[in-house]
Amino acid sequence: MDTNKTILEAIALRKCLEATYNRQRIRLAPHILYTKHDQLYLDGVTLERDGKPPRELKVSAFKLDGLGDLALTAHEFDLQPVFNPDEERYQGKTLFAVEMA
Protein backbone atom coordinates (compact mmCIF):
# COMPACT_ATOMS: atom_id res chain seq x y z
CA MET A 1 0.00 0.00 0.00
CA ASP A 2 1.17 3.52 -0.77
CA THR A 3 2.74 5.16 2.30
CA ASN A 4 0.89 8.46 1.97
CA LYS A 5 -2.45 6.69 1.47
CA THR A 6 -1.79 4.56 4.58
CA ILE A 7 -1.01 7.64 6.65
CA LEU A 8 -4.06 9.57 5.42
CA GLU A 9 -6.29 6.59 6.15
CA ALA A 10 -4.83 6.21 9.64
CA ILE A 11 -5.41 9.88 10.45
CA ALA A 12 -8.93 9.93 8.99
CA LEU A 13 -10.04 6.75 10.76
CA ARG A 14 -7.98 7.33 13.92
CA LYS A 15 -6.19 4.02 13.51
CA CYS A 16 -2.71 3.43 14.88
CA LEU A 17 0.28 2.91 12.65
CA GLU A 18 3.13 0.51 13.25
CA ALA A 19 6.54 1.27 11.82
CA THR A 20 10.25 0.99 12.33
CA TYR A 21 11.90 4.29 13.25
CA ASN A 22 15.54 4.61 14.30
CA ARG A 23 15.75 0.79 14.38
CA GLN A 24 12.93 0.58 16.93
CA ARG A 25 9.47 -0.84 16.31
CA ILE A 26 6.84 1.73 17.26
CA ARG A 27 3.08 1.99 17.40
CA LEU A 28 1.85 5.54 17.09
CA ALA A 29 -1.34 7.54 16.98
CA PRO A 30 -0.85 9.78 13.94
CA HIS A 31 -2.38 13.24 14.37
CA ILE A 32 -1.08 15.49 11.59
CA LEU A 33 0.76 15.37 8.27
CA TYR A 34 2.63 18.54 7.31
CA THR A 35 5.61 19.92 5.43
CA LYS A 36 8.82 21.35 6.85
CA HIS A 37 11.72 22.42 4.63
CA ASP A 38 9.94 20.81 1.66
CA GLN A 39 9.92 17.43 3.45
CA LEU A 40 6.90 15.48 4.70
CA TYR A 41 6.56 15.02 8.45
CA LEU A 42 4.06 13.13 10.56
CA ASP A 43 3.45 14.18 14.14
CA GLY A 44 1.93 11.63 16.42
CA VAL A 45 1.89 10.22 19.91
CA THR A 46 4.03 7.13 20.43
CA LEU A 47 1.94 4.55 22.27
CA GLU A 48 4.50 1.74 22.18
CA ARG A 49 8.23 1.50 21.53
CA ASP A 50 9.67 -2.00 21.13
CA GLY A 51 6.54 -3.42 22.80
CA LYS A 52 6.64 -1.13 25.85
CA PRO A 53 4.61 2.00 26.65
CA PRO A 54 6.57 5.28 26.79
CA ARG A 55 7.33 7.00 30.09
CA GLU A 56 5.12 9.91 29.04
CA LEU A 57 2.71 10.62 26.21
CA LYS A 58 3.99 13.42 24.01
CA VAL A 59 3.76 14.53 20.41
CA SER A 60 6.80 13.51 18.38
CA ALA A 61 7.78 14.47 14.84
CA PHE A 62 8.60 11.67 12.41
CA LYS A 63 10.20 12.40 9.06
CA LEU A 64 8.30 10.27 6.56
CA ASP A 65 11.52 9.12 4.90
CA GLY A 66 12.56 7.57 8.22
CA LEU A 67 9.45 5.45 8.76
CA GLY A 68 10.04 1.90 7.54
CA ASP A 69 7.73 -1.12 7.33
CA LEU A 70 4.74 1.18 7.80
CA ALA A 71 1.45 -0.63 8.44
CA LEU A 72 -2.09 0.37 9.36
CA THR A 73 -3.39 -1.46 12.44
CA ALA A 74 -6.88 -2.25 13.68
CA HIS A 75 -6.14 -0.36 16.93
CA GLU A 76 -8.16 2.85 17.20
CA PHE A 77 -6.86 5.83 19.14
CA ASP A 78 -8.44 8.74 20.97
CA LEU A 79 -7.46 12.29 20.22
CA GLN A 80 -4.54 12.99 22.53
CA PRO A 81 -4.80 16.15 24.67
CA VAL A 82 -1.05 16.77 24.23
CA PHE A 83 -1.73 17.54 20.54
CA ASN A 84 -2.36 21.20 19.64
CA PRO A 85 -3.20 21.75 15.95
CA ASP A 86 -2.83 25.52 16.41
CA GLU A 87 0.92 25.37 17.01
CA GLU A 88 2.87 27.77 14.85
CA ARG A 89 4.85 25.00 13.11
CA TYR A 90 1.64 23.74 11.47
CA GLN A 91 0.34 27.10 10.22
CA GLY A 92 0.05 27.08 6.44
CA LYS A 93 1.88 23.73 6.26
CA THR A 94 -0.78 21.23 7.30
CA LEU A 95 -1.75 18.70 4.65
CA PHE A 96 -4.12 16.62 6.77
CA ALA A 97 -4.99 16.37 10.46
CA VAL A 98 -7.35 14.51 12.78
CA GLU A 99 -10.81 15.97 13.26
CA MET A 100 -10.87 17.92 16.51
CA ALA A 101 -14.59 17.37 17.18
Side-chain angles (χ1 to χ4, degrees), residues 75-99:
H75 299 280
E76 294 182 2
F77 67 87
D78 293 322
L79 187 64
Q80 297 294 315
V82 292
F83 173 66
N84 177 4
D86 298 324
E87 283 186 36
E88 189 175 326
R89 65 180 157 167
Y90 304 136
Q91 300 311 306
K93 299 175 182 173
T94 297
L95 302 175
F96 197 63
V98 291
E99 289 283 327

mmCIF file with all atom_site columns, all heavy atoms in Angstrom, residues 75-99:
data_model
loop_
_atom_site.group_PDB
_atom_site.id
_atom_site.type_symbol
_atom_site.label_atom_id
_atom_site.label_alt_id
_atom_site.label_comp_id
_atom_site.label_asym_id
_atom_site.label_entity_id
_atom_site.label_seq_id
_atom_site.pdbx_PDB_ins_code
_atom_site.Cartn_x
_atom_site.Cartn_y
_atom_site.Cartn_z
_atom_site.occupancy
_atom_site.B_iso_or_equiv
_atom_site.pdbx_formal_charge
_atom_site.auth_seq_id
_atom_site.auth_comp_id
_atom_site.auth_asym_id
_atom_site.auth_atom_id
_atom_site.pdbx_PDB_model_num
ATOM 1   N N   . HIS A 1 75 ? -6.028  -1.094 15.658 1.00 0.00 ? 75 HIS A N   1
ATOM 2   C CA  . HIS A 1 75 ? -6.142  -0.359 16.929 1.00 0.00 ? 75 HIS A CA  1
ATOM 3   C C   . HIS A 1 75 ? -6.581  1.075  16.679 1.00 0.00 ? 75 HIS A C   1
ATOM 4   O O   . HIS A 1 75 ? -5.921  1.807  15.961 1.00 0.00 ? 75 HIS A O   1
ATOM 5   C CB  . HIS A 1 75 ? -4.801  -0.326 17.677 1.00 0.00 ? 75 HIS A CB  1
ATOM 6   C CG  . HIS A 1 75 ? -4.280  -1.660 18.056 1.00 0.00 ? 75 HIS A CG  1
ATOM 7   N ND1 . HIS A 1 75 ? -4.728  -2.352 19.150 1.00 0.00 ? 75 HIS A ND1 1
ATOM 8   C CD2 . HIS A 1 75 ? -3.337  -2.445 17.480 1.00 0.00 ? 75 HIS A CD2 1
ATOM 9   C CE1 . HIS A 1 75 ? -4.091  -3.507 19.233 1.00 0.00 ? 75 HIS A CE1 1
ATOM 10  N NE2 . HIS A 1 75 ? -3.245  -3.582 18.221 1.00 0.00 ? 75 HIS A NE2 1
ATOM 11  N N   . GLU A 1 76 ? -7.699  1.468  17.294 1.00 0.00 ? 76 GLU A N   1
ATOM 12  C CA  . GLU A 1 76 ? -8.165  2.846  17.196 1.00 0.00 ? 76 GLU A CA  1
ATOM 13  C C   . GLU A 1 76 ? -7.529  3.655  18.317 1.00 0.00 ? 76 GLU A C   1
ATOM 14  O O   . GLU A 1 76 ? -7.145  3.111  19.343 1.00 0.00 ? 76 GLU A O   1
ATOM 15  C CB  . GLU A 1 76 ? -9.682  2.900  17.303 1.00 0.00 ? 76 GLU A CB  1
ATOM 16  C CG  . GLU A 1 76 ? -10.367 2.230  16.128 1.00 0.00 ? 76 GLU A CG  1
ATOM 17  C CD  . GLU A 1 76 ? -11.891 2.305  16.198 1.00 0.00 ? 76 GLU A CD  1
ATOM 18  O OE1 . GLU A 1 76 ? -12.422 2.920  17.149 1.00 0.00 ? 76 GLU A OE1 1
ATOM 19  O OE2 . GLU A 1 76 ? -12.533 1.743  15.303 1.00 0.00 ? 76 GLU A OE2 1
ATOM 20  N N   . PHE A 1 77 ? -7.409  4.968  18.084 1.00 0.00 ? 77 PHE A N   1
ATOM 21  C CA  . PHE A 1 77 ? -6.862  5.826  19.138 1.00 0.00 ? 77 PHE A CA  1
ATOM 22  C C   . PHE A 1 77 ? -7.783  7.005  19.390 1.00 0.00 ? 77 PHE A C   1
ATOM 23  O O   . PHE A 1 77 ? -8.557  7.409  18.525 1.00 0.00 ? 77 PHE A O   1
ATOM 24  C CB  . PHE A 1 77 ? -5.444  6.310  18.795 1.00 0.00 ? 77 PHE A CB  1
ATOM 25  C CG  . PHE A 1 77 ? -5.350  7.251  17.628 1.00 0.00 ? 77 PHE A CG  1
ATOM 26  C CD1 . PHE A 1 77 ? -5.504  8.623  17.795 1.00 0.00 ? 77 PHE A CD1 1
ATOM 27  C CD2 . PHE A 1 77 ? -5.072  6.779  16.354 1.00 0.00 ? 77 PHE A CD2 1
ATOM 28  C CE1 . PHE A 1 77 ? -5.404  9.491  16.728 1.00 0.00 ? 77 PHE A CE1 1
ATOM 29  C CE2 . PHE A 1 77 ? -4.962  7.638  15.271 1.00 0.00 ? 77 PHE A CE2 1
ATOM 30  C CZ  . PHE A 1 77 ? -5.134  9.004  15.461 1.00 0.00 ? 77 PHE A CZ  1
ATOM 31  N N   . ASP A 1 78 ? -7.707  7.533  20.607 1.00 0.00 ? 78 ASP A N   1
ATOM 32  C CA  . ASP A 1 78 ? -8.443  8.736  20.972 1.00 0.00 ? 78 ASP A CA  1
ATOM 33  C C   . ASP A 1 78 ? -7.554  9.941  20.689 1.00 0.00 ? 78 ASP A C   1
ATOM 34  O O   . ASP A 1 78 ? -6.328  9.851  20.764 1.00 0.00 ? 78 ASP A O   1
ATOM 35  C CB  . ASP A 1 78 ? -8.795  8.722  22.474 1.00 0.00 ? 78 ASP A CB  1
ATOM 36  C CG  . ASP A 1 78 ? -9.794  7.624  22.803 1.00 0.00 ? 78 ASP A CG  1
ATOM 37  O OD1 . ASP A 1 78 ? -10.708 7.375  21.986 1.00 0.00 ? 78 ASP A OD1 1
ATOM 38  O OD2 . ASP A 1 78 ? -9.647  7.007  23.877 1.00 0.00 ? 78 ASP A OD2 1
ATOM 39  N N   . LEU A 1 79 ? -8.182  11.055 20.400 1.00 0.00 ? 79 LEU A N   1
ATOM 40  C CA  . LEU A 1 79 ? -7.460  12.291 20.216 1.00 0.00 ? 79 LEU A CA  1
ATOM 41  C C   . LEU A 1 79 ? -6.669  12.562 21.493 1.00 0.00 ? 79 LEU A C   1
ATOM 42  O O   . LEU A 1 79 ? -7.236  12.512 22.585 1.00 0.00 ? 79 LEU A O   1
ATOM 43  C CB  . LEU A 1 79 ? -8.454  13.426 19.945 1.00 0.00 ? 79 LEU A CB  1
ATOM 44  C CG  . LEU A 1 79 ? -7.879  14.764 19.576 1.00 0.00 ? 79 LEU A CG  1
ATOM 45  C CD1 . LEU A 1 79 ? -7.127  14.675 18.242 1.00 0.00 ? 79 LEU A CD1 1
ATOM 46  C CD2 . LEU A 1 79 ? -8.987  15.786 19.460 1.00 0.00 ? 79 LEU A CD2 1
ATOM 47  N N   . GLN A 1 80 ? -5.388  12.800 21.360 1.00 0.00 ? 80 GLN A N   1
ATOM 48  C CA  . GLN A 1 80 ? -4.544  12.993 22.533 1.00 0.00 ? 80 GLN A CA  1
ATOM 49  C C   . GLN A 1 80 ? -4.521  14.466 22.941 1.00 0.00 ? 80 GLN A C   1
ATOM 50  O O   . GLN A 1 80 ? -4.280  15.335 22.107 1.00 0.00 ? 80 GLN A O   1
ATOM 51  C CB  . GLN A 1 80 ? -3.120  12.508 22.237 1.00 0.00 ? 80 GLN A CB  1
ATOM 52  C CG  . GLN A 1 80 ? -3.028  11.022 21.950 1.00 0.00 ? 80 GLN A CG  1
ATOM 53  C CD  . GLN A 1 80 ? -3.374  10.177 23.149 1.00 0.00 ? 80 GLN A CD  1
ATOM 54  O OE1 . GLN A 1 80 ? -2.931  10.443 24.256 1.00 0.00 ? 80 GLN A OE1 1
ATOM 55  N NE2 . GLN A 1 80 ? -4.178  9.156  22.934 1.00 0.00 ? 80 GLN A NE2 1
ATOM 56  N N   . PRO A 1 81 ? -4.765  14.753 24.221 1.00 0.00 ? 81 PRO A N   1
ATOM 57  C CA  . PRO A 1 81 ? -4.803  16.149 24.670 1.00 0.00 ? 81 PRO A CA  1
ATOM 58  C C   . PRO A 1 81 ? -3.459  16.868 24.538 1.00 0.00 ? 81 PRO A C   1
ATOM 59  O O   . PRO A 1 81 ? -3.423  18.089 24.533 1.00 0.00 ? 81 PRO A O   1
ATOM 60  C CB  . PRO A 1 81 ? -5.236  16.052 26.135 1.00 0.00 ? 81 PRO A CB  1
ATOM 61  C CG  . PRO A 1 81 ? -5.156  14.621 26.515 1.00 0.00 ? 81 PRO A CG  1
ATOM 62  C CD  . PRO A 1 81 ? -5.111  13.803 25.271 1.00 0.00 ? 81 PRO A CD  1
ATOM 63  N N   . VAL A 1 82 ? -2.369  16.134 24.393 1.00 0.00 ? 82 VAL A N   1
ATOM 64  C CA  . VAL A 1 82 ? -1.053  16.773 24.228 1.00 0.00 ? 82 VAL A CA  1
ATOM 65  C C   . VAL A 1 82 ? -0.881  17.352 22.827 1.00 0.00 ? 82 VAL A C   1
ATOM 66  O O   . VAL A 1 82 ? 0.061   18.090 22.565 1.00 0.00 ? 82 VAL A O   1
ATOM 67  C CB  . VAL A 1 82 ? 0.114   15.801 24.542 1.00 0.00 ? 82 VAL A CB  1
ATOM 68  C CG1 . VAL A 1 82 ? 0.142   15.449 26.016 1.00 0.00 ? 82 VAL A CG1 1
ATOM 69  C CG2 . VAL A 1 82 ? 0.042   14.559 23.682 1.00 0.00 ? 82 VAL A CG2 1
ATOM 70  N N   . PHE A 1 83 ? -1.809  17.037 21.903 1.00 0.00 ? 83 PHE A N   1
ATOM 71  C CA  . PHE A 1 83 ? -1.730  17.545 20.539 1.00 0.00 ? 83 PHE A CA  1
ATOM 72  C C   . PHE A 1 83 ? -2.458  18.877 20.427 1.00 0.00 ? 83 PHE A C   1
ATOM 73  O O   . PHE A 1 83 ? -3.606  19.007 20.827 1.00 0.00 ? 83 PHE A O   1
ATOM 74  C CB  . PHE A 1 83 ? -2.355  16.538 19.564 1.00 0.00 ? 83 PHE A CB  1
ATOM 75  C CG  . PHE A 1 83 ? -2.477  17.053 18.156 1.00 0.00 ? 83 PHE A CG  1
ATOM 76  C CD1 . PHE A 1 83 ? -1.348  17.315 17.403 1.00 0.00 ? 83 PHE A CD1 1
ATOM 77  C CD2 . PHE A 1 83 ? -3.720  17.292 17.599 1.00 0.00 ? 83 PHE A CD2 1
ATOM 78  C CE1 . PHE A 1 83 ? -1.452  17.801 16.104 1.00 0.00 ? 83 PHE A CE1 1
ATOM 79  C CE2 . PHE A 1 83 ? -3.847  17.766 16.303 1.00 0.00 ? 83 PHE A CE2 1
ATOM 80  C CZ  . PHE A 1 83 ? -2.705  18.025 15.558 1.00 0.00 ? 83 PHE A CZ  1
ATOM 81  N N   . ASN A 1 84 ? -1.774  19.879 19.858 1.00 0.00 ? 84 ASN A N   1
ATOM 82  C CA  . ASN A 1 84 ? -2.364  21.198 19.639 1.00 0.00 ? 84 ASN A CA  1
ATOM 83  C C   . ASN A 1 84 ? -2.205  21.571 18.167 1.00 0.00 ? 84 ASN A C   1
ATOM 84  O O   . ASN A 1 84 ? -1.116  21.935 17.737 1.00 0.00 ? 84 ASN A O   1
ATOM 85  C CB  . ASN A 1 84 ? -1.675  22.241 20.530 1.00 0.00 ? 84 ASN A CB  1
ATOM 86  C CG  . ASN A 1 84 ? -2.203  23.642 20.287 1.00 0.00 ? 84 ASN A CG  1
ATOM 87  O OD1 . ASN A 1 84 ? -3.138  23.846 19.516 1.00 0.00 ? 84 ASN A OD1 1
ATOM 88  N ND2 . ASN A 1 84 ? -1.603  24.612 20.952 1.00 0.00 ? 84 ASN A ND2 1
ATOM 89  N N   . PRO A 1 85 ? -3.296  21.477 17.381 1.00 0.00 ? 85 PRO A N   1
ATOM 90  C CA  . PRO A 1 85 ? -3.203  21.755 15.947 1.00 0.00 ? 85 PRO A CA  1
ATOM 91  C C   . PRO A 1 85 ? -2.945  23.220 15.625 1.00 0.00 ? 85 PRO A C   1
ATOM 92  O O   . PRO A 1 85 ? -2.635  23.564 14.490 1.00 0.00 ? 85 PRO A O   1
ATOM 93  C CB  . PRO A 1 85 ? -4.569  21.312 15.415 1.00 0.00 ? 85 PRO A CB  1
ATOM 94  C CG  . PRO A 1 85 ? -5.480  21.485 16.578 1.00 0.00 ? 85 PRO A CG  1
ATOM 95  C CD  . PRO A 1 85 ? -4.656  21.149 17.791 1.00 0.00 ? 85 PRO A CD  1
ATOM 96  N N   . ASP A 1 86 ? -3.042  24.088 16.636 1.00 0.00 ? 86 ASP A N   1
ATOM 97  C CA  . ASP A 1 86 ? -2.831  25.518 16.414 1.00 0.00 ? 86 ASP A CA  1
ATOM 98  C C   . ASP A 1 86 ? -1.386  25.954 16.607 1.00 0.00 ? 86 ASP A C   1
ATOM 99  O O   . ASP A 1 86 ? -1.083  27.148 16.533 1.00 0.00 ? 86 ASP A O   1
ATOM 100 C CB  . ASP A 1 86 ? -3.751  26.334 17.350 1.00 0.00 ? 86 ASP A CB  1
ATOM 101 C CG  . ASP A 1 86 ? -5.224  26.069 17.062 1.00 0.00 ? 86 ASP A CG  1
ATOM 102 O OD1 . ASP A 1 86 ? -5.568  25.888 15.874 1.00 0.00 ? 86 ASP A OD1 1
ATOM 103 O OD2 . ASP A 1 86 ? -6.015  26.024 18.013 1.00 0.00 ? 86 ASP A OD2 1
ATOM 104 N N   . GLU A 1 87 ? -0.488  25.001 16.846 1.00 0.00 ? 87 GLU A N   1
ATOM 105 C CA  . GLU A 1 87 ? 0.919   25.366 17.013 1.00 0.00 ? 87 GLU A CA  1
ATOM 106 C C   . GLU A 1 87 ? 1.438   26.039 15.750 1.00 0.00 ? 87 GLU A C   1
ATOM 107 O O   . GLU A 1 87 ? 1.033   25.716 14.638 1.00 0.00 ? 87 GLU A O   1
ATOM 108 C CB  . GLU A 1 87 ? 1.761   24.117 17.299 1.00 0.00 ? 87 GLU A CB  1
ATOM 109 C CG  . GLU A 1 87 ? 1.628   23.624 18.710 1.00 0.00 ? 87 GLU A CG  1
ATOM 110 C CD  . GLU A 1 87 ? 2.590   22.480 19.007 1.00 0.00 ? 87 GLU A CD  1
ATOM 111 O OE1 . GLU A 1 87 ? 3.721   22.490 18.490 1.00 0.00 ? 87 GLU A OE1 1
ATOM 112 O OE2 . GLU A 1 87 ? 2.185   21.593 19.770 1.00 0.00 ? 87 GLU A OE2 1
ATOM 113 N N   . GLU A 1 88 ? 2.336   26.968 15.955 1.00 0.00 ? 88 GLU A N   1
ATOM 114 C CA  . GLU A 1 88 ? 2.871   27.768 14.847 1.00 0.00 ? 88 GLU A CA  1
ATOM 115 C C   . GLU A 1 88 ? 3.498   26.910 13.745 1.00 0.00 ? 88 GLU A C   1
ATOM 116 O O   . GLU A 1 88 ? 3.374   27.217 12.558 1.00 0.00 ? 88 GLU A O   1
ATOM 117 C CB  . GLU A 1 88 ? 3.896   28.765 15.387 1.00 0.00 ? 88 GLU A CB  1
ATOM 118 C CG  . GLU A 1 88 ? 4.331   29.772 14.345 1.00 0.00 ? 88 GLU A CG  1
ATOM 119 C CD  . GLU A 1 88 ? 5.256   30.827 14.909 1.00 0.00 ? 88 GLU A CD  1
ATOM 120 O OE1 . GLU A 1 88 ? 5.097   31.215 16.079 1.00 0.00 ? 88 GLU A OE1 1
ATOM 121 O OE2 . GLU A 1 88 ? 6.148   31.253 14.159 1.00 0.00 ? 88 GLU A OE2 1
ATOM 122 N N   . ARG A 1 89 ? 4.158   25.819 14.115 1.00 0.00 ? 89 ARG A N   1
ATOM 123 C CA  . ARG A 1 89 ? 4.847   25.000 13.105 1.00 0.00 ? 89 ARG A CA  1
ATOM 124 C C   . ARG A 1 89 ? 3.893   24.376 12.078 1.00 0.00 ? 89 ARG A C   1
ATOM 125 O O   . ARG A 1 89 ? 4.315   23.948 11.018 1.00 0.00 ? 89 ARG A O   1
ATOM 126 C CB  . ARG A 1 89 ? 5.693   23.916 13.753 1.00 0.00 ? 89 ARG A CB  1
ATOM 127 C CG  . ARG A 1 89 ? 4.885   22.877 14.505 1.00 0.00 ? 89 ARG A CG  1
ATOM 128 C CD  . ARG A 1 89 ? 5.786   21.854 15.117 1.00 0.00 ? 89 ARG A CD  1
ATOM 129 N NE  . ARG A 1 89 ? 5.137   21.216 16.236 1.00 0.00 ? 89 ARG A NE  1
ATOM 130 C CZ  . ARG A 1 89 ? 5.559   20.133 16.805 1.00 0.00 ? 89 ARG A CZ  1
ATOM 131 N NH1 . ARG A 1 89 ? 6.646   19.553 16.358 1.00 0.00 ? 89 ARG A NH1 1
ATOM 132 N NH2 . ARG A 1 89 ? 4.930   19.609 17.813 1.00 0.00 ? 89 ARG A NH2 1
ATOM 133 N N   . TYR A 1 90 ? 2.612   24.315 12.396 1.00 0.00 ? 90 TYR A N   1
ATOM 134 C CA  . TYR A 1 90 ? 1.635   23.736 11.472 1.00 0.00 ? 90 TYR A CA  1
ATOM 135 C C   . TYR A 1 90 ? 0.954   24.775 10.579 1.00 0.00 ? 90 TYR A C   1
ATOM 136 O O   . TYR A 1 90 ? 0.310   24.415 9.600  1.00 0.00 ? 90 TYR A O   1
ATOM 137 C CB  . TYR A 1 90 ? 0.545   22.988 12.242 1.00 0.00 ? 90 TYR A CB  1
ATOM 138 C CG  . TYR A 1 90 ? 1.039   21.901 13.168 1.00 0.00 ? 90 TYR A CG  1
ATOM 139 C CD1 . TYR A 1 90 ? 0.518   21.782 14.449 1.00 0.00 ? 90 TYR A CD1 1
ATOM 140 C CD2 . TYR A 1 90 ? 2.016   20.999 12.776 1.00 0.00 ? 90 TYR A CD2 1
ATOM 141 C CE1 . TYR A 1 90 ? 0.949   20.784 15.316 1.00 0.00 ? 90 TYR A CE1 1
ATOM 142 C CE2 . TYR A 1 90 ? 2.459   20.007 13.637 1.00 0.00 ? 90 TYR A CE2 1
ATOM 143 C CZ  . TYR A 1 90 ? 1.916   19.902 14.913 1.00 0.00 ? 90 TYR A CZ  1
ATOM 144 O OH  . TYR A 1 90 ? 2.340   18.922 15.761 1.00 0.00 ? 90 TYR A OH  1
ATOM 145 N N   . GLN A 1 91 ? 1.070   26.054 10.926 1.00 0.00 ? 91 GLN A N   1
ATOM 146 C CA  . GLN A 1 91 ? 0.337   27.095 10.224 1.00 0.00 ? 91 GLN A CA  1
ATOM 147 C C   . GLN A 1 91 ? 0.760   27.188 8.757  1.00 0.00 ? 91 GLN A C   1
ATOM 148 O O   . GLN A 1 91 ? 1.920   27.403 8.450  1.00 0.00 ? 91 GLN A O   1
ATOM 149 C CB  . GLN A 1 91 ? 0.517   28.457 10.919 1.00 0.00 ? 91 GLN A CB  1
ATOM 150 C CG  . GLN A 1 91 ? 0.029   28.466 12.366 1.00 0.00 ? 91 GLN A CG  1
ATOM 151 C CD  . GLN A 1 91 ? -1.358  27.883 12.552 1.00 0.00 ? 91 GLN A CD  1
ATOM 152 O OE1 . GLN A 1 91 ? -2.310  28.298 11.900 1.00 0.00 ? 91 GLN A OE1 1
ATOM 153 N NE2 . GLN A 1 91 ? -1.489  26.905 13.447 1.00 0.00 ? 91 GLN A NE2 1
ATOM 154 N N   . GLY A 1 92 ? -0.204  26.996 7.866  1.00 0.00 ? 92 GLY A N   1
ATOM 155 C CA  . GLY A 1 92 ? 0.054   27.078 6.437  1.00 0.00 ? 92 GLY A CA  1
ATOM 156 C C   . GLY A 1 92 ? 0.818   25.893 5.871  1.00 0.00 ? 92 GLY A C   1
ATOM 157 O O   . GLY A 1 92 ? 1.174   25.895 4.702  1.00 0.00 ? 92 GLY A O   1
ATOM 158 N N   . LYS A 1 93 ? 1.086   24.882 6.696  1.00 0.00 ? 93 LYS A N   1
ATOM 159 C CA  . LYS A 1 93 ? 1.880   23.733 6.257  1.00 0.00 ? 93 LYS A CA  1
ATOM 160 C C   . LYS A 1 93 ? 1.166   22.402 6.428  1.00 0.00 ? 93 LYS A C   1
ATOM 161 O O   . LYS A 1 93 ? 1.677   21.373 6.052  1.00 0.00 ? 93 LYS A O   1
ATOM 162 C CB  . LYS A 1 93 ? 3.211   23.714 7.013  1.00 0.00 ? 93 LYS A CB  1
ATOM 163 C CG  . LYS A 1 93 ? 4.034   24.951 6.742  1.00 0.00 ? 93 LYS A CG  1
ATOM 164 C CD  . LYS A 1 93 ? 5.275   24.994 7.580  1.00 0.00 ? 93 LYS A CD  1
ATOM 165 C CE  . LYS A 1 93 ? 5.995   26.299 7.267  1.00 0.00 ? 93 LYS A CE  1
ATOM 166 N NZ  . LYS A 1 93 ? 7.093   26.550 8.103  1.00 0.00 ? 93 LYS A NZ  1
ATOM 167 N N   . THR A 1 94 ? -0.023  22.457 7.032  1.00 0.00 ? 94 THR A N   1
ATOM 168 C CA  . THR A 1 94 ? -0.777  21.235 7.296  1.00 0.00 ? 94 THR A CA  1
ATOM 169 C C   . THR A 1 94 ? -1.387  20.683 6.017  1.00 0.00 ? 94 THR A C   1
ATOM 170 O O   . THR A 1 94 ? -2.034  21.400 5.267  1.00 0.00 ? 94 THR A O   1
ATOM 171 C CB  . THR A 1 94 ? -1.890  21.513 8.333  1.00 0.00 ? 94 THR A CB  1
ATOM 172 O OG1 . THR A 1 94 ? -1.288  21.908 9.552  1.00 0.00 ? 94 THR A OG1 1
ATOM 173 C CG2 . THR A 1 94 ? -2.734  20.265 8.550  1.00 0.00 ? 94 THR A CG2 1
ATOM 174 N N   . LEU A 1 95 ? -1.157  19.395 5.792  1.00 0.00 ? 95 LEU A N   1
ATOM 175 C CA  . LEU A 1 95 ? -1.752  18.700 4.649  1.00 0.00 ? 95 LEU A CA  1
ATOM 176 C C   . LEU A 1 95 ? -3.010  17.955 5.063  1.00 0.00 ? 95 LEU A C   1
ATOM 177 O O   . LEU A 1 95 ? -3.988  17.903 4.342  1.00 0.00 ? 95 LEU A O   1
ATOM 178 C CB  . LEU A 1 95 ? -0.742  17.740 4.034  1.00 0.00 ? 95 LEU A CB  1
ATOM 179 C CG  . LEU A 1 95 ? 0.561   18.386 3.552  1.00 0.00 ? 95 LEU A CG  1
ATOM 180 C CD1 . LEU A 1 95 ? 1.533   17.321 3.077  1.00 0.00 ? 95 LEU A CD1 1
ATOM 181 C CD2 . LEU A 1 95 ? 0.276   19.376 2.446  1.00 0.00 ? 95 LEU A CD2 1
ATOM 182 N N   . PHE A 1 96 ? -2.980  17.385 6.271  1.00 0.00 ? 96 PHE A N   1
ATOM 183 C CA  . PHE A 1 96 ? -4.123  16.620 6.767  1.00 0.00 ? 96 PHE A CA  1
ATOM 184 C C   . PHE A 1 96 ? -3.955  16.424 8.267  1.00 0.00 ? 96 PHE A C   1
ATOM 185 O O   . PHE A 1 96 ? -2.848  16.201 8.742  1.00 0.00 ? 96 PHE A O   1
ATOM 186 C CB  . PHE A 1 96 ? -4.184  15.253 6.066  1.00 0.00 ? 96 PHE A CB  1
ATOM 187 C CG  . PHE A 1 96 ? -5.509  14.559 6.202  1.00 0.00 ? 96 PHE A CG  1
ATOM 188 C CD1 . PHE A 1 96 ? -6.663  15.112 5.676  1.00 0.00 ? 96 PHE A CD1 1
ATOM 189 C CD2 . PHE A 1 96 ? -5.597  13.331 6.834  1.00 0.00 ? 96 PHE A CD2 1
ATOM 190 C CE1 . PHE A 1 96 ? -7.888  14.465 5.797  1.00 0.00 ? 96 PHE A CE1 1
ATOM 191 C CE2 . PHE A 1 96 ? -6.813  12.665 6.950  1.00 0.00 ? 96 PHE A CE2 1
ATOM 192 C CZ  . PHE A 1 96 ? -7.953  13.244 6.429  1.00 0.00 ? 96 PHE A CZ  1
ATOM 193 N N   . ALA A 1 97 ? -5.049  16.530 9.007  1.00 0.00 ? 97 ALA A N   1
ATOM 194 C CA  . ALA A 1 97 ? -4.992  16.373 10.459 1.00 0.00 ? 97 ALA A CA  1
ATOM 195 C C   . ALA A 1 97 ? -6.255  15.691 10.965 1.00 0.00 ? 97 ALA A C   1
ATOM 196 O O   . ALA A 1 97 ? -7.281  15.675 10.272 1.00 0.00 ? 97 ALA A O   1
ATOM 197 C CB  . ALA A 1 97 ? -4.843  17.732 11.138 1.00 0.00 ? 97 ALA A CB  1
ATOM 198 N N   . VAL A 1 98 ? -6.183  15.158 12.175 1.00 0.00 ? 98 VAL A N   1
ATOM 199 C CA  . VAL A 1 98 ? -7.346  14.512 12.781 1.00 0.00 ? 98 VAL A CA  1
ATOM 200 C C   . VAL A 1 98 ? -8.436  15.563 13.002 1.00 0.00 ? 98 VAL A C   1
ATOM 201 O O   . VAL A 1 98 ? -8.152  16.741 13.214 1.00 0.00 ? 98 VAL A O   1
ATOM 202 C CB  . VAL A 1 98 ? -7.026  13.829 14.134 1.00 0.00 ? 98 VAL A CB  1
ATOM 203 C CG1 . VAL A 1 98 ? -6.135  12.627 13.951 1.00 0.00 ? 98 VAL A CG1 1
ATOM 204 C CG2 . VAL A 1 98 ? -6.421  14.787 15.123 1.00 0.00 ? 98 VAL A CG2 1
ATOM 205 N N   . GLU A 1 99 ? -9.672  15.108 12.947 1.00 0.00 ? 99 GLU A N   1
ATOM 206 C CA  . GLU A 1 99 ? -10.806 15.973 13.259 1.00 0.00 ? 99 GLU A CA  1
ATOM 207 C C   . GLU A 1 99 ? -10.771 16.275 14.752 1.00 0.00 ? 99 GLU A C   1
ATOM 208 O O   . GLU A 1 99 ? -10.613 15.369 15.567 1.00 0.00 ? 99 GLU A O   1
ATOM 209 C CB  . GLU A 1 99 ? -12.121 15.267 12.914 1.00 0.00 ? 99 GLU A CB  1
ATOM 210 C CG  . GLU A 1 99 ? -12.381 15.127 11.432 1.00 0.00 ? 99 GLU A CG  1
ATOM 211 C CD  . GLU A 1 99 ? -12.851 16.424 10.791 1.00 0.00 ? 99 GLU A CD  1
ATOM 212 O OE1 . GLU A 1 99 ? -13.546 17.216 11.461 1.00 0.00 ? 99 GLU A OE1 1
ATOM 213 O OE2 . GLU A 1 99 ? -12.507 16.644 9.632  1.00 0.00 ? 99 GLU A OE2 1
#
